[in-house]
Amino acid sequence: MISACGNPRLLIFSKSLKLNPNMKNNLFAEFQKVSKDEWVNLAIKDLKGKDFQKTLVTNAPDGIDLFPFYTEEDSHDLGFLKKFRNRLNVPSEIPGTGPRFWSNVHAVRVNDEKADNKNILKALMGGADALLLDLKGKVDFEILLSEVDVRYIEVYLRVENEITERTLDFFNWMERSDFSNNDLKGGLLWDPMTSCLESKCLKQDQLDIAEKLLQIGIKFPSFRLISVDAAHYHDCGASPVQQLFLSLGGYIELMDGLTDRGILPVDILKKTILQGAAGSDFFLEIAKLRVFKIAFFELAILYKEDFILEDVKLFASSSYWTKATSDVHTNMLRNTTEAMSAILGSCDALWVRPHNEVIDEIDSFSERMARNISNILKEECYLDKVLDPVAGTYFIECVQAGIIDKVKRELQILEEKGGWWVNFENHQLQDLVKAARYTRLEEVKNAHKVKVGVNKYLLQNEDPKNALENWEEETWQLLPLRDGFLIEFPNLEKK
């Protein structure tokens, strides 16, 4: 038998490269180490006189600079992030699956229990393993969830009004069923503070509801009842740092109010779920969502020392803010990159919104496409085969560090100004987000930011469909919007 080295062609090839016999143990032994400054100087040389900073450095929101490359030198001061690598997600315990698991969420706007039940069963057979039930009124869960085995899925609730009553209805159905209380997994997507940005409410009323929910939900240890909703700020046009420090600032307000009533911090923390949205800035969104978990964990351990990172759960969605009503099918491409950001950003549950949601034409096709994005990223792109693919990457961790610093600084400033509720009542919080929103709207309107199908490569003779013709926002409100709004409605006045 002839070995590889007995092949004359391979011998000639190896001699020409002067291979080190120990190369198999150290593949980089023959390469000279290059410093960051040397890389920068080489780039400047290739730019032929152009400014490196202006040409190759991207100025992201919140004053975060994204460089064209990062090296080991950039990570020298990021040792504190090492303890979070490969820990932002709990390895899957399901036999035969990859270590990285996230739930594929199917959303249902409940109107007709019988028809919606058929939709739910079809979705679960088609790859979904979590439900988001959007409840506007009283629901017959016996019909809605008939033949649904909650032992193998997660259930999330989003309630428009009478939150305590509707949640109690759901719990009562669970107790009447053949399932154990421990079988129920998921959560109520309700942020007591952030919800005040849409409909008027009193702080004490929100605390009363939260306290009541914590009391009635104690029987269901794996069902969370309070969310920290950064997704709402995202869909209102807030910057990444604003999304995090404002949602966390509201949670601090809630924690202070509930602990003053004698509720233990641990009882609140274990019933909390994070709620985020992934936008179109791929790498920045990955870093933002990872920071969301890290920042919440560091906040949590201030209340309880033995709180563990693996207890932090993140429900992530694709973005409403980035979607377009013109050339609506391009939203499927946006959904795909946003879903990747959410997965790499450590989400535990992923809701890909239907691409035609913005024109109120959700159908079985758009729902299937939304489910399949998550399925394809798992089954064909193998994103479930590695627990934490971006752990230790210089780029992501440098951006994470920048976001963490700014979030901590802004949280400190918010507290110095009296906290979330004071800033909400004097509208400083709303004005801050609206200023950031208007800047981003102008970027799309003036084509400083390219948006396919909106300000670039427009479809000819397309009949525009707008679902927000009567959109109005009070000074105290922050309502979801889209970044192409000024093009859809050019006469919109600055608010």
Side-chain angles (χ1 to χ4, degrees), residues 428-490:
Q428 288 187 22
L429 181 157
Q430 297 91 320
D431 292 343
L432 183 68
V433 175
K434 288 176 183 179
R437 167 206 284 169
Y438 195 78
T439 298
R440 301 176 77 183
L441 290 171
E442 285 287 332
E443 287 177 347
V444 175
K445 178 184 177 182
N446 298 324
H448 293 154
K449 179 179 180 179
V450 174
K451 194 168 183 67
V452 174
V454 178
N455 60 20
K456 192 79 169 177
Y457 310 116
L458 277 66
L459 290 179
Q460 298 299 317
N461 303 318
E462 182 183 31
D463 184 22
K465 299 178 181 180
N466 294 315
L468 294 176
E469 293 181 4
N470 299 317
W471 187 86
E472 290 184 7
E473 183 181 65
E474 300 290 340
T475 55
W476 59 270
Q477 287 181 309
L478 267 181
L479 300 180
L481 204 57
R482 298 188 303 273
D483 61 3
F485 197 51
L486 289 180
I487 293 178
E488 295 173 9
F489 301 95

Side-chain angles (χ1 to χ4, degrees), residues 189-229:
L189 301 183
W190 175 67
D191 183 326
M193 297 297 113
T194 301
S195 60
C196 297
L197 294 168
E198 291 191 274
S199 55
K200 283 192 174 182
C201 52
L202 298 174
K203 180 179 177 181
Q204 292 306 313
D205 290 344
Q206 298 300 89
L207 292 173
D208 289 342
I209 296 171
E211 184 177 10
K212 181 65 175 178
L213 287 171
L214 291 171
Q215 290 172 353
I216 65 177
I218 197 170
K219 297 179 181 179
F220 303 92
S222 298
F223 192 84
R224 307 192 178 214
L225 291 159
I226 293 171
S227 81
V228 186
D229 190 1

Side-chain angles (χ1 to χ4, degrees), residues 27-217:
L27 296 177
F28 297 100
E30 301 296 320
F31 294 93
Q32 182 179 355
K33 193 168 184 178
V34 181
S35 69
K36 177 72 177 283
D37 288 339
E38 289 177 297
W39 280 115
V40 171
N41 291 333
L42 183 61
I44 292 173
K45 181 180 178 181
D46 290 341
L47 287 173
K48 297 179 180 179
K50 294 181 181 178
D51 186 270
F52 176 85
Q53 188 77 18
K54 293 181 179 179
T55 308
L56 296 180
V57 177
T58 301
N59 302 122
D62 303 304
I64 297 173
D65 290 335
L66 305 180
F67 287 84
F69 56 85
Y70 292 81
T71 70
E72 186 179 5
E73 296 174 42
D74 295 303
S75 65
H76 285 166
D77 297 327
L78 305 182
F80 71 98
L81 289 174
K82 289 183 179 179
K83 63 183 178 181
F84 300 111
R85 295 173 186 171
N86 298 300
R87 289 189 58 210
L88 292 179
N89 292 103
V90 180
S92 173
E93 296 179 353
I94 303 173
T97 63
R100 176 70 173 94
F101 177 81
W102 65 91
S103 299
N104 186 358
V105 180
H106 173 74
V108 180
R109 298 175 181 175
V110 179
N111 293 308
D112 181 335
E113 286 92 343
K114 285 187 177 180
D116 293 332
N117 175 255
K118 292 180 180 179
N119 183 347
I120 287 171
L121 295 176
K122 182 179 178 181
L124 294 176
M125 291 293 290
D129 47 25
L131 298 175
L132 171 57
L133 305 179
D134 204 338
L135 310 179
K136 292 186 178 181
K138 192 173 180 61
V139 171
D140 188 337
F141 289 103
E142 301 282 355
I143 299 175
L144 180 66
L145 298 178
S146 176
E147 298 185 42
V148 174
D149 195 332
V150 299
R151 291 174 297 176
Y152 304 109
I153 66 171
E154 294 176 352
V155 181
Y156 296 92
L157 304 180
R158 191 167 56 180
V159 183
E160 188 170 303
N161 48 54
E162 297 181 322
I163 295 169
T164 307
E165 291 81 358
R166 299 291 77 81
T167 306
L168 187 58
D169 289 344
F170 179 65
F171 287 162
N172 288 337
W173 168 79
M174 269 295 301
E175 294 192 311
R176 291 193 305 270
S177 70
D178 295 329
F179 306 116
S180 163
N181 290 352
N182 293 326
D183 292 332
L184 181 61
K185 299 175 291 294
L188 174 66
L189 301 183
W190 175 67
D191 183 326
M193 297 297 113
T194 301
S195 60
C196 297
L197 294 168
E198 291 191 274
S199 55
K200 283 192 174 182
C201 52
L202 298 174
K203 180 179 177 181
Q204 292 306 313
D205 290 344
Q206 298 300 89
L207 292 173
D208 289 342
I209 296 171
E211 184 177 10
K212 181 65 175 178
L213 287 171
L214 291 171
Q215 290 172 353
I216 65 177

